[in-house]
Each structure stands twice: as C-alpha cells, then as structure tokens.
Amino acid sequence: MADSDADTDTEEPTTELPEGVVDRAERLTRLLRSAVDPAEREAYRSDRRALLAEYGYTARVREDDDGETLVCHPEEWTEDGVIQIDRIDDTDRAVEITLSGTGDGGDYDAVDAHNRAVAEAVRDEYGDVHGETAEAFADFMSNHYAKRIEAATEGEREEFRTEYFPRNAWPSDEQRRRLEQSLEVIFDVARSR
C-alpha cells in the first residue's frame, strides 16, 4: 500500500494538511470507491497517494460499526503499510473524514426517497431529458454523499458535472447540451418541495 522507503528522521514533520488537500483526497477516495473499472480505481488511488506524499502523508480507509472513515496520517507512522503505535507522536496530525452517512443527519433511506421524489417531479414537470439528469443527480447525491439534492455544495455539483455525469450517467447528446438548464430545474424543484 504505502511506500515507506524514504528516511523521514531528518525532516521536520508536517503538522497539518491544507484543507484543499484534504478535500481533494476525500474526492479522489469517493471517485475510487465508485469507479467500476479497476484501472480507473488504481488511477484515483495513485493520484491520492501522490497528492498526500507531497506532505509526507498516506491514507487508509478504516471500517467500524459507524461505517467507513478515510484516515490521512503521517507516513512515518507506518511500516509496510501497518500503523506502528509507538511512532504516533501527536494524534492531532491525523485527519479523519467520514465516508459513510451524511452531514445532513438524516438516514439514508429517507434521503434517497426524497431525492427520488425530486427526480420524479422533475420528469413529470419538465420531461424526460431533465428527468434523466435528475435521476442521475439523485443517484449521485444519495450514493456518494447520502445528502438531499438541495444540500449539494458547489464542489459536489462540480464533481457531478465533470466526473460523475459524463462517466456514469450515460447521457444523451441532448442531456449534455442541456446539463446546466437541468441542474437549475432540479434545484428549483428540490427547493420548492
């Protein structure tokens, strides 16, 4: 997993990861988890590894009763991919990001039902082109973030536009042309519910 052939004893340890790096590591992890193609998964894993290595960090996904958590921690804490407890000098240097559940506080089934209802309303009011895109966005928000459509951040919307939609939604040419209009419609409907 993590390459630990660098001698880090002579370097001053990094005290924290920049927020943008943490956000990118989380995004790459979510993309990795949703990718179907093994080569694509490995590309995301490699990108995350390279990103964190610039700061002397590595990552792993921890599973427990509450779900899965991405843990970014100093590479010097590991040997052959295994954490060495005696090397942990300050636990505040690790960053943990929950990958399961929501920042929304609701349970997955309720969030997913809400998102499906929004997609269905979009289809009923605006037709199949917008409806198909709404269904893809509902899938994305439910499965990747377990959040209601209207709670999507600008970063999540951009991830949908650039990563998820072209790769996973199998959009028609008309859906591609009308993506921005579809997103406006989706959010108008979601906010009105």
Side-chain angles (χ1 to χ4, degrees):
M1 286 274 226
D3 301 331
S4 56
D5 55 349
D7 183 6
T8 56
D9 292 358
T10 58
E11 295 179 16
E12 193 63 32
T14 304
T15 55
E16 66 180 48
L17 284 172
E19 186 177 335
V21 172
V22 173
D23 290 346
R24 179 136 172 80
E26 177 184 4
R27 183 168 170 267
L28 288 167
T29 301
R30 290 189 186 280
L31 291 170
L32 184 162
R33 289 161 44 104
S34 66
V36 177
D37 178 25
E40 186 180 2
R41 281 196 302 271
E42 186 49 42
Y44 290 134
R45 186 177 289 112
S46 178
D47 287 352
R48 183 184 68 190
R49 188 179 302 126
L51 172 72
L52 293 174
E54 289 180 36
Y55 297 87
Y57 273 65
T58 190
R60 69 185 182 92
V61 174
R62 181 184 70 223
E63 295 184 41
D64 53 34
D65 293 340
D66 296 327
E68 294 182 317
T69 303
L70 173 65
V71 182
C72 300
H73 57 82
E75 195 169 358
E76 67 206 40
W77 293 1
T78 65
E79 184 174 314
D80 298 324
V82 177
I83 298 260
Q84 305 299 307
I85 302 296
D86 60 328
R87 293 185 184 176
I88 300 175
D89 54 350
D90 178 4
T91 56
D92 287 341
R93 292 177 63 204
V95 177
E96 296 190 358
I97 302 114
T98 301
L99 298 172
S100 304
T102 78
D104 166 277
D107 92 325
Y108 174 82
D109 291 336
V111 168
D112 189 52
H114 169 80
N115 291 346
R116 301 276 162 230
V118 169
E120 187 176 324
V122 168
R123 183 181 295 278
D124 290 347
E125 290 180 47
Y126 296 95
D128 289 340
V129 171
H130 294 308
E132 291 293 325
T133 301
E135 285 179 16
F137 196 69
D139 287 341
F140 172 73
M141 288 304 296
S142 294
N143 296 331
H144 289 260
Y145 292 101
K147 289 169 65 175
R148 290 174 173 248
I149 285 173
E150 61 272 22
T153 66
E154 187 49 49
E156 290 160 356
R157 293 177 198 184
E158 184 61 19
E159 181 182 346
F160 176 77
R161 281 184 196 99
T162 61
E163 303 287 341
Y164 186 89
F165 185 71
R167 290 184 178 155
N168 300 307
W170 299 91
S172 67
D173 289 341
E174 189 173 1
Q175 276 182 272
R176 282 189 175 91
R177 281 193 307 274
R178 298 176 71 184
L179 176 59
E180 291 307 317
Q181 184 184 9
S182 291
L183 288 172
E184 286 177 24
V185 163
I186 292 164
F187 287 104
D188 285 348
V189 170
R191 283 190 290 265
S192 72
R193 293 183 66 81

